[in-house]
Amino acid sequence: MANARLGAMQDWTMRVTAVIDHAAREAGEREIVTRWADGSITRTNWAGIRKDACKMAQALQRLGLRPGDKVASLAMNHSRHLVSWYGVAGMGGVLHTVNPRLFDDQLDYIVNHAEDRVLCYDAAFQPIVDRMKDRWPTVEHYICYDSGDHAPAFEDWIGSEDGDFEWVTGPENDPCMICYTSGTTGNPKGVQYEHRSTVLHAMAGLQPAAFNFSSASVMLPVVPMFHAASWGLPYAGAMAGIKFVFSAVNDPAVLHDLMIGEGVTDSAGVPTVWLAHFQYCDANGLDLPPLKAATIGGSAAPKFMIERLLKNGTRVQHAWGMTETSPIGTVGGPTWDWDSLSLEEKVEKTAMQGRPIFGVQLRTVDLADMTTELPRDGKTSGALQIRGPWIIKRYFKAEADAVGNDGWFDTGDVGIIHPDGTLQLTDRTKDVIKSGGEWISSVELENAACGHPGVAEAACIGIFHPKWDERPVLFVVKKAGAEVTSEDILEHLKPQIAKWWMPDAVEFVDDIPHTATGKISKKDLRERFRDYALG
Ligand code: AMP
């Protein structure tokens, strides 16, 4: 009898366990290095990670966990955290990577909302556990990734298992990880990644137009495993069999030594991480590490940062995405005409957010009606929308879909799409400054201000103005020891921006508030300057 199916290829369920199986089989010896908080260094490899993941899956089953159950991690980047990514998924569970920088009320909300049954944590976060334990009734078991003073130690806990384990199987649309976003107002929202979406996202992340991984890559991801799945690196890296170097602390001195000592070729982090690294090198008279590639995302990469890295011989992969997009949406790297560009042109190009990788589609729509699609003309800005197989459809436990009938997810970002597909992000919908009926990009003003040598950080918000509705005010943190006046800053901005974009005031502040993921918190800045009035 003829087979009803027309195609004749094999069925292959896309589960993340296949990723670690591949890494263990094809790159089993490739090292996974961890520098722990106490300064010690341990080394394992992909085969060791898989073995420990099998043991963890057994240990979880022994605790009575079933497929679909949630296991939380409250941890920095290290090999035991990596084991948990695969171990939890391998027993059919869902790993909830908790951001330790969240406020107590948010920590309370997300662990209860996810109904986490087990929580694995770093000893450094013992105070959080002590504080929150009574507020987390669903958590039945605590495991400490380090010592076992207050809870069973991870190594002992999995150490009593033999690792002889068959991965739990199931549909590829099963969830394997959940991350909560906290950038928005109201309660954090859970984004559940599926096995399938995760595998597809990681395959797309590998390619030359994105992370550009090969088996020779040595990656030190500074982006935390608790932030948007560390940009998918632990999966993409396993697929390519790269060497990973993890640091459980984000001290630039430690990162610098690891980069040099371990032959790191690739790193990834938000702009503040790179900034801290620059400052460390400058203060100590050191060169930047000889990285081949630096991925910068989470916030716009300032031009001076891109320029310095390019001059260092480091390829800059400026990426845009969000927790809801797994997170890669676009990545910028050298374009086909790269070699013919001047340094200035390269910097200009890289300061945009790159192009969509295969698997996602982008469009911009009119901010006023949120439906009229705008031209990809390199000048018209609008609300940025995205769709694809690793883009959110519905938040965890939400009643309604997070996308419109046509499947587009509204990102809350404002951007311009260029004719070659390059995305240029200009703002967040809620941060864009409306002056006299026209839009001013707060982000562009910040980026321009950051190019001044005396500026460490800058943030721009709209302040009420009786005539213009809102006018931009720039808040600036000076670099240590820098002598700079507001006139200097305005003078510096003048050639870079339209006249009517000029901030009405420049205020110097000691610090600028940040969110739990290290981004400037405009919400908190607005709150702090609630009573600020333009003179
Ligand atoms: P999160 O879900 O916490 O990762 O935040 C996602 C948001 O970060 C996006 O919606 C953007 O507003 C912002 N973002 C991410 N990458 C970039 C980038 N390369 N440039 C500017 N903003 C970015």
Side-chain angles (χ1 to χ4, degrees):
M1 206 174 91
N3 194 332
R5 183 167 153 173
L6 294 178
M9 306 310 272
Q10 301 183 5
D11 290 321
W12 200 78
T13 312
M14 282 192 221
R15 299 211 22 132
V16 301
T17 42
V19 178
I20 189 66
D21 285 348
H22 173 82
R25 197 169 47 242
E26 310 303 340
E29 301 286 298
R30 196 77 170 117
E31 266 189 321
I32 310 290
V33 181
T34 301
R35 197 278 192 190
W36 299 91
D38 66 4
S40 61
I41 290 194
T42 57
R43 291 169 195 275
T44 176
N45 56 29
W46 284 112
I49 297 291
R50 184 185 183 281
K51 186 80 181 170
D52 283 352
C54 287
K55 291 183 180 180
M56 183 181 185
Q58 286 176 305
L60 287 169
Q61 283 191 340
R62 202 175 295 281
L63 293 180
L65 265 78
R66 292 175 303 270
D69 281 345
K70 307 257 182 333
V71 175
S73 61
L74 185 67
M76 301 300 286
N77 293 0
H78 51 69
S79 57
R80 293 174 199 143
H81 202 174
L82 183 66
V83 165
S84 311
W85 280 43
Y86 291 106
V88 173
M91 60 73 56
V94 182
L95 183 73
H96 173 194
T97 49
V98 177
N99 182 344
R101 298 185 199 125
L102 295 177
F103 300 122
D104 286 4
D105 285 348
Q106 294 171 318
L107 289 168
D108 179 336
Y109 178 84
I110 65 172
V111 170
N112 284 301
H113 189 259
E115 300 176 61
D116 298 326
R117 290 189 63 192
V118 176
L119 189 133
C120 303
Y121 66 97
D122 287 355
F125 301 130
Q126 186 69 46
I128 299 181
V129 171
D130 290 343
R131 227 171 42 233
M132 298 303 298
K133 224 170 181 170
D134 290 345
R135 298 171 69 176
W136 287 338
T138 65
V139 180
E140 299 155 44
H141 306 278
Y142 289 87
I143 309 287
C144 184
Y145 280 122
D146 307 276
S147 74
D149 293 347
H150 300 267
F154 186 81
E155 295 282 296
D156 297 340
W157 176 57
I158 64 167
S160 51
E161 305 294 340
D162 61 11
D164 187 9
F165 186 79
E166 291 276 322
W167 300 128
V168 170
T169 54
E172 59 186 17
N173 293 107
D174 274 353
C176 61
M177 184 176 272
I178 182 165
C179 295
Y180 281 77
T181 62
S182 56
T184 44
T185 45
N187 283 325
K189 293 191 205 126
V191 182
Q192 279 211 105
Y193 303 137
E194 298 170 349
H195 281 264
R196 177 177 188 270
S197 69
T198 303
V199 172
L200 288 173
H201 175 262
M203 287 172 89
L206 279 178
Q207 57 172 305
F211 293 127
N212 190 28
F213 278 155
S214 79
S215 61
S217 306
V218 181
M219 157 63 81
L220 192 163
V222 188
V223 54
M225 286 181 166
F226 57 74
H227 182 204
S230 199
W231 302 347
L233 293 165
Y235 299 115
M239 284 180 177
I242 71 169
K243 169 176 165 179
F244 266 119
V245 181
F246 293 116
S247 177
V249 289
N250 277 344
D251 178 352
V254 171
L255 298 177
H256 189 83
D257 288 352
L258 278 174
M259 286 180 184
I260 306 286
E262 295 293 334
V264 170
T265 57
D266 294 63
S267 188
V270 294
T272 43
V273 161
W274 295 103
L275 197 63
H277 208 126
F278 288 3
Q279 286 165 354
Y280 169 76
C281 289
D282 293 345
N284 294 282
L286 299 168
D287 289 334
L288 290 182
L291 294 173
K292 291 207 172 103
T295 302
I296 310 180
S299 305
K303 286 184 192 159
F304 78 91
M305 188 173 284
I306 295 168
E307 182 174 338
R308 184 152 174 192
L309 285 162
L310 289 179
K311 281 186 178 158
N312 188 52
T314 302
R315 158 179 158 143
V316 178
Q317 293 154 185
H318 185 190
W320 165 84
M322 51 199 310
T323 306
E324 286 89 337
T325 65
S326 290
I328 310 173
T330 60
V331 189
T335 43
W336 60 272
D337 54 351
W338 194 247
D339 291 341
S340 66
L341 302 178
S342 66
L343 177 67
E344 205 185 338
E345 287 167 329
K346 286 177 180 169
V347 171
E348 282 297 321
K349 222 168 192 177
T350 314
M352 296 187 205
Q353 276 73 8
R355 304 167 67 218
I357 52 173
F358 172 74
V360 296
Q361 295 175 348
L362 293 183
R363 72 172 186 185
T364 48
V365 297
D366 196 325
L367 276 167
D369 65 16
M370 295 299 280
T371 45
T372 311
E373 194 166 338
L374 299 174
R376 297 157 66 106
D377 59 4
K379 29 182 210 279
T380 315
S381 76
L384 180 67
Q385 301 190 332
I386 188 168
R387 65 181 179 189
W390 56 81
I391 310 302
I392 191 164
K393 186 156 85 187
R394 181 183 283 220
Y395 289 102
F396 182 52
K397 291 186 179 171
E399 304 263 302
D401 282 351
V403 295
N405 290 337
D406 48 4
W408 290 93
F409 172 71
D410 190 65
T411 64
D413 285 325
V414 181
I416 294 168
I417 301 180
H418 288 254
D420 72 350
T422 300
L423 170 68
Q424 182 184 357
L425 222 65
T426 52
D427 224 325
R428 296 281 299 159
T429 321
K430 54 189 188 318
D431 295 336
V432 75
I433 298 163
K434 194 155 200 193
S435 176
E438 300 284 347
W439 303 105
I440 296 176
S441 160
S442 65
V443 173
E444 270 185 57
L445 289 177
E446 287 157 11
N447 287 346
C450 278
H452 188 286
V455 173
E457 198 172 24
C460 185
I461 54 174
I463 296 283
F464 171 75
H465 189 284
K467 178 164 175 208
W468 302 109
D469 206 4
E470 278 185 335
R471 288 296 301 157
V473 172
L474 193 64
F475 294 88
V476 170
V477 180
K478 286 185 206 176
K479 271 196 192 148
E483 301 264 336
V484 48
T485 63
S486 52
E487 288 73 32
D488 296 338
I489 306 272
L490 293 173
E491 214 37 56
H492 169 80
L493 293 178
K494 221 182 234 171
Q496 303 187 63
I497 55 170
K499 208 166 160 203
W500 62 276
W501 280 33
M502 277 303 239
D504 279 29
V506 177
E507 301 289 347
F508 293 101
V509 288
D510 291 339
D511 70 291
I512 285 172
H514 290 95
T515 66
T517 49
K519 299 173 198 199
I520 291 174
S521 172
K522 299 272 176 86
K523 199 170 79 181
D524 290 341
L525 191 65
R526 279 190 209 102
E527 185 56 31
R528 197 189 281 180
F529 291 95
R530 202 179 36 205
D531 300 325
Y532 184 94
L534 286 167

